[in-house]
Amino acid sequence: MSKVQKKELFVPDFEEISKVLQEGLAANFKTASVSVVECPDLTKPPFTLAAPGLCGSPRLADVGGPPYLVPLAQKDKKYNFQDVAQQTELPGAFIIGAGAGPHHVVGVNSEMMANARDGGENQTYLCKIKPEDESYVLEKGSSTDFCLLANLYLSEGKPGKVLEVKASIRTGEENFVTCMRKTLKAKYGDKPVGLGGTFLIEKGKAKIHVMPDFSSKPLQTEDDVNGWLRFFDMKAELVCLSTFVSHDPGLDLRIEHSHCFSHHGDGGHYHYDVTPDEVMYRGYYVPAEYIYRIDPPENTHRIGRD
């Protein structure tokens, strides 16, 4: 079994964190509101998640990491949703998040949009690059395996109280997730606050990358990585699966990571919106109680974590 480290996260009062986030988002978007609401049924369109809610034993998992992808992919790093549910002490968990798809199943490297119930429904999407024309293909995944790295939010998938986060017309430089993460860092300092959930890009377009197949040449720098990745402007509506942590408590974390899928063939790794004058976000998040660091790389670096 992989090495697992568990740390308790700081969980602010819902009303307090909603006010903190709203103030931070208002400095970066023309309109912003954060409220505590009953989670809508996320199995319904446009979200189409594998469980109706985000509540019950909320926790984060950071599995593997970019050092297993760059400079050269360590293709033996294979993981499974069921194992992660066991390692995070939540058998039967509802699992959403961002990771690398199972190359041994897909045949090539891919982006994974994890959306599954351990032992139940699997609505995971994968997005890959077609080598013949460099276009991308979004498809449903049939496997519960993944490879190399993932940042996951796990819960019992129950209805309950969540943070509803709305923001539109971006006036600042930060993307939706980075703005929230930095806001919490400014408020809580070295008390790590971790959130997981889903957000919808309702209007506008976003810069998204899709990984091609593994590089045969070592990727030594951020420029190398960005030259290898394939970038696209993708259009709303985009359903994003998202985790972030305000402060790394010494676990070598990827502190934010969001992947998206759609019902019109777009999907991949979210960077930021490219239409600030029209973008509209609506998200649902829950503060996590714990974070589990699973199989951390011994030889680590900071490349490839955007």
Side-chain angles (χ1 to χ4, degrees), residues 24-30 169-182 256 270-274 276 279 281:
L25 286 163
N28 203 63
F29 291 87
K30 185 176 180 180
I169 308 180
R170 182 170 53 82
T171 54
E173 293 298 315
E174 305 292 358
N175 75 38
F176 181 63
V177 178
T178 302
C179 180
M180 290 192 286
R181 176 178 60 79
K182 288 186 174 181
E256 67 176 74
Y270 165 81
H271 285 271
Y272 48 81
D273 64 82
V274 294
V279 72
Y281 293 96

Side-chain angles (χ1 to χ4, degrees), residues 178-256:
T178 302
C179 180
M180 290 192 286
R181 176 178 60 79
K182 288 186 174 181
T183 296
L184 296 182
K185 173 66 174 177
K187 171 66 176 178
Y188 298 109
D190 61 2
K191 294 178 181 177
V193 179
L195 268 64
T198 180
F199 67 90
L200 184 68
I201 302 177
E202 297 185 281
K203 290 184 179 179
K205 295 181 179 180
K207 183 177 182 180
I208 307 291
H209 84 233
V210 180
M211 295 186 293
D213 207 2
F214 300 119
S215 175
S216 57
K217 173 188 172 185
L219 304 172
Q220 306 284 11
T221 66
E222 289 290 353
D223 285 345
D224 288 348
V225 172
N226 289 330
W228 166 70
L229 295 171
R230 300 294 181 261
F231 290 91
F232 305 92
D233 289 349
M234 298 190 187
K235 63 184 179 181
E237 293 179 321
L238 296 168
V239 180
C240 301
L241 308 169
S242 173
T243 66
F244 64 92
V245 182
S246 65
H247 172 76
D248 183 349
L251 294 177
D252 189 31
L253 300 176
R254 187 172 192 164
I255 53 175
E256 67 176 74

